[in-house]
Amino acid sequence: MKKKMTAAVLAGVLVLTAAGCSGRTAEETEIQVFIAASLNTVMTELAEQYQEEHPEVKITLNADSSGTLLTQIREGYECDIFFSAAQKQMDDLEADGLLMEGTRADVVNNQVVVVTLKDSGTKVTGLEDLDQAESIALAGGSVPVGRYTRQALQNLGILPETGEPDAITTEEVSEALGGVEISEQDNVSKVLTAVAEGSCEVGTTYYSDTYGFEDDLEILETVSYDLTGNVIYPIARVVNEEADEAQAEAADDFLAYILSEEAEEVFASYYFDTDV
């Protein structure tokens, strides 16, 4: 039996339901959608818009790092759709035979940025002089933004090009930067919070995550794709043997909506690059 998500398991779960039950003709159902933390705001809006037309569908959004979500799916938590911030986690699920064939698609591109509080007085201008920071918020290597940051530092020659970027520990990054204090975070939203609340001087997050923080944060550098590679977000249906026909049809339909031109406009409004 698949494990259901509970509040005790993950505080990052957001349940969206349509108000009112009268007059419904379609069968009520619920779908589980696992999303990268950086998608939380935009996917909340998209789910709400979808439910205006489909009030019979309850959408449960589980937002966390893509690496954490991958682990949960492998451990048997019920999931109908996986929307990752990187290809690696989707590749791993596909290799495990846990994706429904023919449903995988690339949705948006993003970009890594180095941020600080406005008027912070930091000496840092970007990745190349990151060692000038007094403290850095950095996602772990299993988190896509943490992996992309490590990849960029490797390409700049700051980190050694030995092995995969996600295998480089936070301690090793700190040593390469001259012993600077690094606060490791387990998803990109927590990196943003650490900088926005002033507990860390700088941090690396996604451009899309700066939406709504324009008055508080300064983007010190928008890291080029030459350093990180493309930051593509793939989506796919996940094998859920316990889903009945109504649930499966709702998951298929919601996936199609996420890939629609209507949804593309919403993604663009939240600073995602829809040209993939």
Side-chain angles (χ1 to χ4, degrees):
M1 178 178 292
K2 291 279 187 179
K3 301 177 184 178
K4 288 280 190 179
M5 299 303 304
T6 67
V9 174
L10 279 177
V13 172
L14 173 63
V15 179
L16 297 162
T17 59
C21 299
S22 59
R24 293 181 181 175
T25 56
E27 183 179 349
E28 293 185 1
T29 190
E30 176 182 2
I31 60 174
Q32 309 286 331
V33 184
F34 283 30
I35 60 173
S38 52
L39 291 165
N40 199 18
T41 305
V42 65
M43 284 295 289
T44 296
E45 178 170 334
L46 287 169
E48 289 172 346
Q49 289 187 8
Y50 179 83
Q51 289 181 308
E52 290 178 3
E53 300 296 326
H54 304 275
E56 74 283 357
V57 179
K58 182 168 76 171
I59 299 173
T60 298
L61 297 178
N62 173 23
D64 212 320
S65 78
S66 301
T68 297
L69 299 176
L70 167 65
T71 298
Q72 290 165 356
I73 295 170
R74 282 173 161 170
E75 289 178 348
Y77 288 98
E78 184 174 358
C79 175
D80 297 293
I81 296 172
F82 179 41
F83 198 170
S84 174
Q87 300 285 9
K88 182 180 185 300
Q89 287 76 21
M90 197 68 78
D91 291 343
D92 289 347
L93 275 188
E94 190 164 27
D96 291 344
L98 294 175
L99 297 187
M100 294 182 63
E101 187 175 351
T103 66
R104 180 172 176 172
D106 293 337
V107 185
V108 293
N109 205 346
N110 214 336
Q111 206 156 5
V112 175
V113 293
V114 183
V115 295
T116 189
L117 276 178
K118 286 190 174 179
D119 302 319
S120 69
T122 183
K123 296 178 182 178
V124 175
T125 61
L127 291 181
E128 290 196 64
D129 57 5
L130 204 55
D131 59 350
Q132 297 298 306
E134 292 186 2
S135 60
I136 301 170
L138 177 67
S142 67
V143 182
V145 73
R147 187 183 196 280
Y148 290 125
T149 300
R150 287 163 170 79
Q151 179 70 71
L153 292 171
Q154 282 185 321
N155 287 332
L156 286 169
I158 295 171
L159 288 176
E161 294 188 35
T162 55
E164 290 297 316
D166 51 7
I168 300 174
T169 67
T170 297
E171 290 74 17
E172 289 171 328
V173 177
S174 176
E175 289 175 8
L177 295 173
V180 62
E181 177 187 339
I182 297 181
S183 175
E184 181 176 318
Q185 306 296 326
D186 56 21
N187 66 50
V188 69
S189 297
K190 291 181 179 179
V191 172
L192 187 73
T193 298
V195 177
E197 293 182 348
S199 58
C200 289
E201 183 180 324
V202 299
T204 59
T205 183
Y206 294 124
Y207 177 51
S208 66
D209 283 286
T210 66
Y211 179 90
F213 289 87
E214 295 87 351
D215 293 337
D216 304 311
L217 296 178
E218 177 185 356
I219 297 176
L220 299 170
E221 179 186 13
T222 301
V223 183
S224 73
Y225 292 131
D226 290 340
L227 293 176
T228 62
N230 284 322
V231 185
I232 300 291
Y233 286 52
I235 195 170
R237 288 271 281 110
V238 177
V239 174
N240 182 2
E241 296 177 351
E242 300 209 359
D244 59 20
E245 184 177 353
Q247 183 175 343
E249 288 180 355
D252 288 338
D253 193 61
F254 185 61
L255 176 60
Y257 175 69
I258 296 303
L259 298 175
S260 69
E261 291 185 1
E262 180 181 352
E264 187 175 294
E265 293 179 2
V266 178
F267 281 115
S269 73
Y270 282 90
Y271 302 163
F272 286 95
D273 180 2
T274 58
D275 183 12
V276 294

